[in-house]
Amino acid sequence: MTQNAHPAAGLPLPSPKERRRLREAGGLGHEEIAEAVGVTASTVRSWEAGRTEPRGRKREAYAHFLVSLADPPPSPPPSAAGSGAAGPGTDGPP
């Protein structure tokens, strides 16, 4: 048998208080989260207040979004950020 569970279905959601903290730490408003997840800003406020819980695909999208806020992608190392120290033809043999 093949399971059709979506990978995000197992992502736990943080508490409503932590959801708000993550959003604020990311410098985002309710509107930005709502647009990314596909809901209204009012819905995001309700999720953060604990009045309602996201379900289905919206829950999955919200969980992924929160994970990205909690664990942002790493920045490129300073040497790869274009310092110019190792440009083309500067460190190869003559």
Side-chain angles (χ1 to χ4, degrees):
M1 276 195 223
T2 304
Q3 288 184 331
N4 291 330
H6 191 279
L11 282 179
L13 281 174
S15 71
K17 188 175 184 177
E18 178 66 3
R19 297 171 199 171
R20 178 179 178 175
R21 188 198 68 75
L22 287 168
R23 177 184 54 77
E24 290 175 345
L28 300 171
H30 295 110
E31 295 78 15
E32 289 92 353
I33 302 281
E35 186 175 328
V37 177
V39 297
T40 65
S42 171
T43 297
V44 174
R45 282 191 287 275
S46 184
W47 291 344
E48 289 183 357
R51 288 189 299 271
T52 61
E53 286 291 317
R55 298 181 352 175
R57 291 183 183 177
K58 302 302 182 189
R59 183 200 179 283
E60 293 172 13
Y62 189 44
H64 274 294
F65 196 86
L66 292 174
V67 166
S68 75
L69 289 176
D71 190 22
S75 300
S79 62
S83 64
T90 59
D91 59 345

